[in-house]
Amino acid sequence: MTRRDIGTDDPRVRVRPGKGTRPRTKKRPSFEDAIPGLVTAVDRGRFTLAIKGQTASVQAVKARALGRKGIIVGDRVGLEGDTSGTPDTLARIVTLQERTTVLRRSFDESETGTKEKLIVANATQMLIVVAAANPEPKTGMIDRAMVTALDAGVKPLLVITKTDLDAGEGLTREYEKLLPVYLLRREDYDATPSSTVPTGVPATTTTPPDPSPLVALKAALEDEVTVLLGHSGVGKSTLINALVPSAQRVTGQVNTVTGKGRHTSSSAVAFSYRGGWVIDTPGVRSFGLAHIDADGLLAGFTELATIAKDCPRGCTHREDAPDCLLDSHPECRARVASFRHLLAEIPKPY
Ligand SMILES: Nc1nc2c(ncn2[C@@H]2O[C@H](COP(=O)(O)OP(=O)(O)O)[C@@H](O)[C@H]2O)c(=O)[nH]1
Ligand SMILES: [Mg+2]
Ligand SMILES: [Zn+2]
């Protein structure tokens, strides 16, 4: 480095360093020390996060560095600031990890056109929840949810609740070939966990009964990130409470006038469960598929996609398509009708 000429050799004369030697702050901070967290709830710009190995949840806001990037439940982020979870402390979300999956639905806004809503990030499974009765199950909803899941690379599972009101056999028959089906019994929800069986009770020597569907479902949730989706009033929150008693989700009565449940929760919330996460969501009213194209829709009807492989070249598989092979499988009639009903929602590519 050359010395600047300061007009004198007197060593007692000192000058302040010029502007050019000031450290530059152009380089963005790398946030290498950010603490990893998982977003468990979002409420108007406030985020609740879980940090591995820490019981207390953390409240945080989004740092300026993230710009307009949206953050949703299930997102894995980097945190700075006070991450102790002490009441009245606030951390900052400084980084957002790339999502492995995103579940989205589109909905119609008559003035602004179709909009898209992100439901949850990084889910590995979707638990489609329907009630065997009250509210009546809608197969269209199940089909839509399956399409959404498969399009996002998320594994769909079907849970049928309220089997005390209706056995749910028809639904089971229709769907058990397509995805795992769990016919849950509410009496299993309150069964005493084996770890809390009081001592002094004589051990039974008879062979244990078949594990209940709830036990099988619990095993399927292990180490997975599972989002529960279904109409309001089908029993999602009741099931979450059975799985995670500390969740204390508010459950609502089904409105006897409209048959629709009241909306008792306003956004998704994640609960830690057996090495993974279960995510309760508010009841979805609509499940638009505008973000999915015709091929994506067909891929969501796995058994129909297999049949349609041999359709004439360029077959649209629509009602008016000549020689569409979907018409020669009467055993699939209901699903073909459902597929074509949804296809009509998707704009033709020309
Ligand atoms: N009969 C019956 N009612 C149930 C069952 N599961 C939930 N419910 C009731 O259905 C209503 C809606 O349940 P909730 O969990 O709030 O549904 P969500 O809107 O899907 O979260 C509540 O009154 C529950 O008590 C069930 O297995 N059988
Ligand atoms: Mg609920
Ligand atoms: Zn066809």
Side-chain angles (χ1 to χ4, degrees):
M1 196 175 130
T2 51
R3 287 191 58 156
R4 272 197 298 157
D5 180 12
I6 51 169
T8 172
D9 290 331
D10 191 332
R12 291 167 301 180
V13 177
R14 297 179 138 213
V15 291
R16 293 194 301 166
K19 279 191 172 152
T21 64
R22 269 196 206 154
R24 292 253 175 188
T25 51
K26 216 175 177 181
K27 220 180 104 213
R28 292 215 169 269
S30 62
F31 303 121
E32 268 164 12
D33 301 327
I35 310 235
L38 181 131
V39 177
T40 60
V42 179
D43 184 14
R44 284 159 296 172
R46 273 294 177 96
F47 302 88
T48 307
L49 295 112
I51 293 179
K52 212 172 188 157
Q54 176 175 316
T55 326
S57 60
V58 176
Q59 296 292 312
V61 290
K62 211 166 69 169
R64 284 272 267 317
L66 280 174
R68 299 173 64 83
K69 252 184 240 172
I71 291 175
I72 56 178
V73 168
D75 266 330
R76 296 176 194 278
V77 299
L79 291 165
E80 283 203 339
D82 192 335
T83 56
S84 64
T86 314
D88 297 326
T89 59
L90 207 53
R92 273 174 302 120
I93 301 176
V94 291
T95 56
L96 173 61
Q97 252 186 49
E98 202 181 324
R99 295 165 180 153
T100 56
T101 65
V102 188
L103 284 171
R104 60 189 87 216
R105 65 189 183 91
S106 41
F107 55 96
D108 255 337
E109 299 261 281
S110 40
E111 277 133 54
T112 47
T114 310
K115 278 197 172 168
E116 213 172 88
K117 187 163 169 51
L118 304 184
I119 304 170
V120 62
N122 301 317
T124 60
Q125 302 192 127
M126 178 197 286
L127 207 63
I128 305 166
V129 186
V130 291
N134 190 33
E136 288 307 312
K138 296 266 199 295
T139 55
M141 184 269 158
I142 301 173
D143 295 341
R144 279 172 191 274
M146 277 174 73
V147 168
T148 304
L150 293 170
D151 183 67
V154 171
K155 181 185 176 181
L157 312 167
L158 180 64
V159 151
I160 304 175
T161 60
K162 309 202 186 184
T163 52
D164 51 305
L165 306 179
D166 182 292
E169 281 162 345
L171 263 186
T172 307
R173 222 175 304 118
E174 211 170 322
Y175 283 96
E176 65 189 352
K177 299 173 287 253
L178 301 170
L179 75 176
V181 177
Y182 302 87
L183 264 166
L184 300 186
R185 303 182 300 242
R186 180 146 74 168
E187 69 256 34
D188 294 333
Y189 289 8
D190 327 300
T192 318
S194 51
S195 57
T196 59
V197 168
T199 48
V201 174
T204 46
T205 48
T206 51
T207 48
D210 274 351
S212 75
L214 184 64
V215 169
L217 175 64
K218 286 177 174 176
L221 300 179
E222 236 161 76
D223 300 327
E224 304 281 348
V225 179
T226 308
V227 57
L228 277 68
L229 278 185
H231 285 143
S232 213
V234 294
K236 295 181 296 296
S237 298
T238 305
L239 174 57
I240 290 269
N241 286 341
L243 297 170
V244 186
S246 63
Q248 301 193 332
R249 300 297 284 160
V250 177
T251 59
Q253 297 295 314
V254 172
N255 185 318
T256 48
V257 180
T258 63
K260 298 232 164 86
R262 274 189 297 135
H263 283 257
T264 41
S265 39
S266 60
S267 82
V269 185
F271 299 95
S272 167
Y273 185 74
R274 292 201 183 187
W277 295 88
V278 287
I279 305 177
D280 195 9
T281 61
V284 285
R285 278 177 207 273
S286 62
F287 221 125
L289 301 176
H291 56 285
I292 289 170
D293 63 10
D295 287 341
L297 182 66
L298 184 59
F301 286 76
T302 43
E303 84 283 30
L304 303 189
T306 307
I307 295 170
K309 267 201 196 111
D310 299 319
C311 273
R313 264 194 69 163
C315 183
T316 62
H317 318 303
R318 290 177 195 257
E319 209 111 33
D320 56 1
D323 306 318
C324 179
L325 287 180
L326 295 184
D327 292 314
S328 46
H329 286 265
E331 77 282 7
C332 298
R333 197 160 44 195
R335 287 267 290 171
V336 170
S338 175
F339 166 69
R340 286 182 171 156
H341 178 75
L342 298 182
L343 195 56
E345 279 180 28
I346 293 172
K348 292 189 189 183
Y350 40 79

